[in-house]
């Protein structure tokens, strides 16, 4: 039979509202080991209070302790290290207890979090890393006034270039007239054919010009007959 691994426990992500400087520690052996538990958590920061919670429901032969740290950062570090830590044979269950916070505690927690974020941003700036920040409408960069005339300047330059190209093409396209007596082909028969065609075209052109000029006026006849 193949053996399947068990799914790892889900990792919970705590927000600044969930964090607190108060902790509840469950599954502590009921051996009167409060001092030992205090020494264990004091390794991660200053602990102001550590006392058992007799009214809290718990498993048989275990106790629940309430611990108050001086700083939220120390409390966060202690929870990360000691949650699921084996203490005197039992695996500790450490959780935040923000319900014990006062209004001042919440304000101090949020202010401390803001300072931590600013310190991280300053460290990134000192290391040369880019720090992205949203600009407000008043801080949005504006283009210089000269940049608004750039499209007009480009259009004028394109127009000048087009005119120059048109003039150059017009100069190159001048028709060079060649005399009708010039031979175009190395073959004499071909040249004779060209000459014959030219003669016919010249006759047609002359007749057309004659018709366009109109009929010539008749000469007046002089009557030389003798009258009786």
């Amino acid at each position: 039979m193949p053996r399947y691994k068990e799914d790892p426990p889900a990792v919970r992500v705590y927000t600044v509202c969930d964090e607190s400087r108060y902790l509840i520690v469950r599954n502590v052996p009921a051996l009167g080991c409060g001092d030992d538990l205090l020494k264990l958590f004091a390794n991660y920061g200053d602990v102001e209070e550590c006392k058992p919670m007799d009214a809290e429901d718990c498993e048989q032969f275990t106790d629940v302790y309430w611990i108050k740290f001086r700083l939220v950062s120390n409390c966060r570090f202690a929870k990360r290290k000691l949650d699921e830590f084996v203490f005197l044979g039992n695996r500790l269950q450490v959780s935040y207890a923000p319900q014990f916070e006062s209004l001042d505690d919440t304000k101090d927690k949020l202010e401390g979090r803001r300072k931590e974020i600013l310190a991280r941003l300053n460290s990134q700036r000192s290391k040369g890393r880019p720090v992205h920040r949203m600009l407000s409408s008043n801080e949005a960069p504006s283009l210089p006034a000269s940049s608004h005339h750039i499209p007009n300047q480009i259009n004028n330059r394109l127009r000048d270039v087009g005119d120059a190209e048109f003039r150059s093409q017009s100069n190159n396209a001048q028709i060079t007239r060649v005399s009708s007596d010039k031979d175009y082909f190395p073959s004499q028969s071909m040249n004779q054919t060209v000459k014959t065609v030219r003669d016919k075209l010249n006759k047609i052109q002359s007749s057309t010009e004659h018709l366009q000029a109109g009929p010539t006026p008749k000469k007046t006849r002089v009557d030389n007959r003798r009258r009786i």
Side-chain angles (χ1 to χ4, degrees):
M1 294 291 293
R3 299 180 60 186
Y4 298 96
K5 295 182 179 180
E6 296 181 357
D7 295 335
V11 178
R12 181 181 177 184
V13 179
Y14 291 92
T15 62
V16 65
C17 296
D18 296 328
E19 293 179 351
S20 176
R21 65 188 185 121
Y22 298 93
L23 292 177
I24 293 180
V25 184
R26 301 179 183 274
N27 205 28
V28 179
L31 301 175
C33 54
D35 294 338
D36 297 331
L37 186 68
L38 174 60
K39 292 179 182 179
L40 176 64
F41 277 83
N43 293 327
Y44 301 95
D46 296 336
V47 177
E48 294 184 352
E49 293 185 51
C50 179
K51 57 185 179 181
M53 301 179 68
D54 298 332
E56 193 74 14
D57 295 335
C58 59
E59 298 291 337
Q60 191 177 8
F61 307 115
T62 61
D63 290 333
V64 180
Y65 278 80
W66 178 84
I67 298 177
K68 177 183 177 182
F69 276 86
R70 188 175 65 87
L71 299 176
V72 178
S73 58
N74 294 337
C75 184
R76 185 190 309 128
F77 188 37
K79 182 191 180 303
R80 186 184 305 135
K81 293 296 183 180
L82 297 180
D83 192 18
E84 301 295 330
F85 179 80
V86 177
F87 177 71
L88 298 179
N90 286 8
R91 193 176 296 274
L92 299 179
Q93 299 175 2
V94 184
S95 60
Y96 290 114
Q99 63 271 20
F100 294 99
E101 289 182 354
S102 63
L103 182 59
D104 293 336
D105 291 335
T106 304
K107 290 181 179 179
D108 294 340
K109 179 178 65 175
L110 296 177
E111 182 65 21
R113 190 64 172 176
R114 187 183 69 84
K115 292 180 180 179
E116 290 178 4
I117 294 174
L118 291 177
R120 292 179 184 178
L121 293 176
N122 293 331
S123 63
Q124 291 181 359
R125 290 193 184 97
S126 62
K127 293 179 181 179
R129 297 178 182 177
V131 179
H132 302 284
R133 185 174 65 90
M134 296 296 292
L135 295 177
S136 62
S137 59
N138 297 329
E139 297 176 347
S142 58
L143 295 175
S146 60
S147 63
H148 298 288
H149 303 285
I150 291 177
N152 296 331
Q153 295 176 1
I154 294 175
N155 293 332
N156 294 333
R157 291 180 182 177
L158 291 176
R159 190 181 299 108
D160 296 340
V161 172
D163 295 341
E165 291 181 355
F166 178 75
R167 287 194 296 270
S168 63
Q169 292 177 1
S170 300
N171 295 331
N172 295 332
Q174 292 179 356
I175 300 175
T176 57
R177 299 191 177 276
V178 183
S179 175
S180 61
D181 298 333
K182 185 177 179 180
D183 294 338
Y184 291 95
F185 302 98
S187 177
Q188 185 64 26
S189 61
M190 295 293 294
N191 291 327
Q192 185 64 29
T193 304
V194 171
K195 185 177 181 181
T196 303
V197 173
R198 280 187 174 276
D199 292 340
K200 291 183 178 181
L201 291 175
N202 291 333
K203 290 180 180 180
I204 294 172
Q205 184 176 3
S206 62
S207 63
T208 303
E209 292 176 354
H210 179 70
L211 292 175
Q212 290 178 355
T216 56
K218 294 183 179 181
K219 295 181 180 180
T220 57
R221 297 177 62 182
V222 178
D223 190 4
N224 295 327
R225 291 179 296 179
R226 293 177 66 185
R227 298 186 180 277
I228 301 174

